[in-house]
Every structure is written in structure tokens, then in C-alpha cells.
Amino acid sequence: MSEQLHHTTTQFVKNKFPITLICDRVNSPANIGSLFRIADSFGIEQIYFCGEGIEIISKRMQRTARATHQIVPYYQKENLIDTIDSLKNKGYTLLALEITSTSIPVEKYKPTTDQKIALIIGEENFGVSTDALKKVQQSVHINMYGNNSSMNVATATAIALYEITKQLSVHLK
């Protein structure tokens, strides 16, 4: 019979990936908390929360984050485009997680081992802004097979990061 393992008894190999999340107006405390947990789970280097009036720290976020907001470095910036430009100037490849006329399925995106990635995710009702989409090198999407063409931003981010880190992990072996 299998025994359930806990944080202290798992045998997962810790790893850090050169991936930064840029959140375009993501403001739901539950989503923010989930993004911290997802970023920690996938060894993401940092998160930028961009937009006006976004409250990052709240009781709801803290309940969802389960202290991962104390582990994953994060920054709050009002200007999304300045943040994108700054990371581009630091050599990041800019990706948007958004269905567009030129997006490719995330599993077909093939990062290189020396590539630093900034993954831009959007607020649930509006997605990644048009101004941000103009800046990216590539948009990636998640193939969906039901009637809906969108999903929760945290869920979509987890799927995308799983695929991207899986691709990067192949090169590490």
C-alpha cells in the first residue's frame, strides 16, 4: 500500500528556471495566491504584478499562497509596458499566454537552455492587453477541446509552466 508523502518527505529535485511571470492586471486575491504557489512549485525566479490599484497582500491571498509569497520574489509595478521593456533589455524572450491569430500550442514552443523567458499572463476577463501583445516574440495557447475558449488564469499558468519547464528539463538531463 502506498503512503502519502508530505513536504518534508518528498523526493522531488529542487530546481530554478530562468522564467519570470508578468501579470497583466491580475487582481483577484485567490488568483494571486495561487500564482505564488504555482511559481514556487515550478521553480520560477520571480513575479511582476502590473497594473493600477492591485492589492497583492490580503488575507485571502495569504490563505491561498500558503506562505509561498515569502519565498518567491515579487514586485508590484503600475506600468506594464515599462516592465516588459525592462526585461526585454535584460535579454528575456517575451511570451504571452493568449490565444491569438499567430499563437502556437504551448507544447510546441521549444525554449533553448540559455534562454530567459518572461511569460505574460492576463487578467481573466480581458486577457493579455493589446499593447503587451505587440511587444512579445511569441504567443502560446493551451489547446482546449470543450465549448469554452478560456480558463482560470492560475490554472492556465500552471499548465503553461508545466509544459515550458518540461521542455527545459529535457535539456538539463
Side-chain angles (χ1 to χ4, degrees), residues 2 30 45 63 94-95 98 109 120 154 168:
S2 293
E45 65 181 6
R63 278 195 310 273
L94 303 173
L95 297 180
E98 187 65 71
Y109 181 73
I120 305 168
L168 289 170

Side-chain angles (χ1 to χ4, degrees), residues 113-153:
T113 54
D114 61 342
Q115 188 175 27
K116 297 186 298 186
I117 298 170
L119 180 64
I120 305 168
I121 60 173
E123 192 271 335
E124 290 201 359
N125 293 318
F126 305 107
V128 176
S129 67
T130 302
D131 290 340
L133 289 174
K134 290 176 185 175
K135 298 277 187 178
V136 302
Q137 283 98 329
Q138 181 69 62
S139 292
V140 295
H141 66 261
I142 298 163
N143 284 331
M144 299 182 54
Y145 304 104
N147 294 321
N148 195 1
S149 65
S150 68
M151 64 176 65
N152 171 273
V153 67

Side-chain angles (χ1 to χ4, degrees), residues 74-100:
Y74 69 92
Y75 308 93
Q76 187 168 1
K77 303 285 184 179
E78 284 195 8
N79 193 302
L80 171 69
I81 300 305
D82 287 349
T83 303
I84 290 170
D85 288 343
S86 172
L87 289 170
K88 184 175 184 177
N89 291 337
K90 293 177 182 173
Y92 282 79
T93 299
L94 303 173
L95 297 180
L97 180 57
E98 187 65 71
I99 299 170
T100 70

Side-chain angles (χ1 to χ4, degrees), residues 4 6-7 29-30 32-38 40-41 58-72:
Q4 182 182 21
H6 300 281
H7 311 320
I32 291 170
S34 292
L35 289 170
F36 275 113
R37 286 182 73 182
I38 291 162
D40 177 56
S41 294
S58 67
K59 287 186 183 223
R60 175 71 172 111
M61 181 284 297
Q62 290 177 346
R63 278 195 310 273
T64 308
R66 297 184 68 186
T68 53
H69 66 289
Q70 297 170 356
I71 300 167
V72 178

